[in-house]
Amino acid sequence: MAAGAGSSRREDGGGGSGALAGRRNSLGWGLHDSLAMNAARSGYRVFSANSTAASTELAKKITERLGAELGKSVVYQETNGETRVEIKESVRGQDIFIIQTIPRDVNTAVMELLIMAYALKTSCARNIIGVIPYFPYSKQSKMRKRGSIVCKLLASMLAKAGLTHIITMDLHQKEIQGFFSFPVDNLRASPFLLQYIQEEIPDYRNAVIVAKSPGAAKRAQSYAERLRLGLAVIHGEAQCTEQDMDDGRHSPPMLKNATVHPGLELPLMMAKEKPPITVVGDVGGRIAIIVDDIIDDVESFVAAAEILKERGAYKIFVMATHGLLSADAPRLIEESSIDEVVVTNTVPHEVQKLQCPKIKTVDISLILSEAIRRIHNGESMAYLFRNITVDD
């Protein structure tokens, strides 16, 4: 033991200059490694979590604007239907942006996003930011009779999977941001749609902005005030709004022979009875522009177009951020009185455009790429929300 200890002491003290040189060399290499690590941490990667080629078009446009390349990954479905994600490059200490557009197969897209986020989390990514232009299940953000708030469940799942931030666009209900335990940037597509109206509709000064239901009146009013145009609202029994659905507050249902506590007499809520269909506002001899956030089942838009035609509108446009265009939407639009449907590319809809030439697309990759750049560089996002109010 003594010999060993003496030997150890000789090594520490005997090779003075060599030991000092070794320490300097070690310090030099440590500084080099530190700089290299800081350089790596200052970088970012952009991945697409979609397994279908059609759904990666928006991701490609965003990376082109950023001057970057899509991260190397493989996303595919096993023969038994399970989703598999493989990250093909190092992401340690970097900001990772996952672009996930939602095709018709919503549940598969959600699983792809969750699995990729978890794979990046376990690969030691510093921050994982989800770029989800159309947030799925956003219509299920209120309690229904014996139902659930699925949108809140999805928010919890995304946080558990490892997401630290979300960039989305025109949430169906702005209160959805409160479901998340991390920051949510809810961008707006209205500047791009307003620009389309001004540049692509020659006689837009003779137009009127239309809300197809009272629930959409705030959005329509925002467009009308910015374009200095008139406003019209369709109201009546032909409309079936979300607010009229059961929300569970009268559950369980009343029974015919239910016993009531003596002396307890609650006032009876009168049943709603919608008035005959009316259009509040003048649309005669004008271009009618119906605005909304989502176009999914188009029956209500087709019915609104027919009413506007009867009231004298000579041209009808429908504008929305998210063009889901489910089921027979392209055929119904083609056969309707609607002249043009304008949506953004938050949701892939190339197949629907082939079926219906009335569908036009506005590209919003510019604002998404700028949001990515600002978040990565730690810059303020206020520039992207200029002149945006609570009602927009």
Side-chain angles (χ1 to χ4, degrees):
M1 289 292 292
S7 172
S8 178
R9 283 194 296 271
R10 280 195 301 272
E11 288 178 6
D12 289 341
S17 60
L20 181 59
R23 284 196 295 272
R24 286 174 178 170
N25 189 40
S26 175
L27 179 62
W29 278 110
L31 182 59
H32 181 272
D33 290 343
S34 177
L35 290 173
M37 185 175 292
N38 289 335
R41 285 182 177 176
S42 67
Y44 70 96
R45 293 285 186 276
V46 180
F47 287 85
S48 174
N50 289 111
S51 57
T52 57
S55 300
T56 61
E57 290 302 317
L58 180 60
K60 291 177 181 176
K61 289 183 178 181
I62 291 173
T63 51
E64 285 176 6
R65 290 184 181 277
L66 290 169
E69 294 183 357
L70 273 177
K72 298 175 184 177
S73 64
V74 178
V75 183
Y76 62 97
Q77 312 300 318
E78 298 275 14
T79 54
N80 62 359
E82 292 183 357
T83 299
R84 185 176 290 273
V85 175
E86 298 176 4
I87 308 299
K88 296 294 187 179
E89 60 181 297
S90 174
V91 296
R92 183 177 295 271
Q94 298 189 31
D95 292 334
I96 305 299
F97 295 86
I98 308 174
I99 301 173
Q100 180 68 327
T101 53
I102 307 298
R104 290 190 176 186
D105 191 353
V106 177
N107 295 329
T108 298
V110 169
M111 284 306 300
E112 290 170 348
L113 177 60
L114 290 170
I115 294 172
M116 176 168 277
Y118 191 67
L120 293 165
K121 177 184 177 181
T122 55
S123 298
C124 299
R126 181 173 61 172
N127 293 307
I128 304 172
I129 300 97
V131 183
I132 314 170
Y134 167 66
F135 195 80
Y137 289 99
S138 59
K139 286 189 174 182
Q140 298 189 48
S141 59
K142 296 180 180 179
M143 178 62 75
R144 302 299 180 200
K145 187 175 181 179
R146 298 184 184 87
S148 61
I149 306 177
V150 183
C151 192
K152 188 176 189 301
L153 171 63
L154 181 55
S156 301
M157 292 167 66
L158 292 171
K160 190 69 176 177
L163 287 182
T164 59
H165 197 141
I166 278 183
I167 303 170
T168 187
M169 182 163 281
D170 283 331
L171 286 170
H172 187 56
Q173 301 287 342
K174 297 179 182 64
E175 293 79 4
I176 291 174
Q177 295 178 74
F179 294 163
F180 294 88
S181 57
F182 50 78
V184 176
D185 287 311
N186 182 28
L187 303 176
R188 305 296 196 275
S190 51
F192 296 90
L193 296 176
L194 289 167
Q195 184 181 30
Y196 183 93
I197 292 173
Q198 292 174 313
E199 295 179 357
E200 302 297 331
I201 302 178
D203 196 21
Y204 83 93
R205 290 293 182 189
N206 189 37
V208 59
I209 305 298
V210 180
K212 70 180 180 66
S213 66
K218 283 187 177 181
R219 183 182 301 272
Q221 181 181 357
S222 173
Y223 276 71
E225 289 175 351
R226 281 169 166 74
L227 293 168
R228 281 49 170 184
L229 299 177
L231 176 67
V233 180
I234 299 175
H235 179 53
E237 61 184 5
Q239 302 298 315
C240 180
T241 64
E242 224 179 310
Q243 286 76 12
D244 295 330
M245 299 174 67
D246 294 335
D247 60 6
R249 285 177 288 186
H250 58 281
S251 178
M254 293 180 62
L255 301 175
K256 291 183 178 179
N257 298 324
T259 57
V260 181
H261 189 278
L264 181 63
E265 296 182 2
L266 297 175
L268 180 64
M269 174 63 77
M270 296 179 63
K272 285 185 178 181
E273 184 176 347
K274 290 188 176 181
I277 195 74
T278 55
V279 178
V280 182
D282 182 22
V283 298
R286 296 191 177 187
I287 300 171
I289 304 175
I290 305 172
V291 297
D292 213 334
D293 62 329
I294 299 174
I295 301 179
D296 192 359
D297 297 325
V298 299
E299 284 85 354
S300 59
F301 291 94
V302 171
E306 293 296 333
I307 293 165
L308 293 170
K309 276 287 185 183
E310 292 174 3
R311 298 297 194 278
Y314 71 90
K315 206 166 186 179
I316 298 169
F317 290 80
V318 176
M319 312 199 78
T321 303
H322 311 295
L324 305 186
L325 302 171
S326 302
D328 293 331
R331 179 182 60 82
L332 293 173
I333 293 171
E334 187 66 26
E335 296 173 356
S336 72
S337 302
I338 298 172
D339 293 281
E340 196 169 284
V341 173
V342 183
V343 294
T344 71
N345 55 345
T346 57
V347 177
H349 51 264
E350 294 304 317
V351 174
Q352 291 90 328
K353 287 179 70 175
L354 293 174
Q355 297 172 349
C356 178
K358 291 182 179 182
I359 301 172
K360 308 297 180 183
T361 307
V362 175
D363 181 26
I364 45 81
S365 62
L366 175 62
I367 192 171
L368 293 175
S369 60
E370 180 63 14
I372 290 173
R373 190 192 67 81
R374 286 176 174 270
I375 288 174
H376 170 64
N377 292 332
E379 299 177 21
S380 172
M381 295 285 284
Y383 179 79
L384 304 182
F385 293 94
R386 292 173 303 165
N387 300 323
I388 298 294
T389 63
V390 176
D391 295 332
D392 289 331

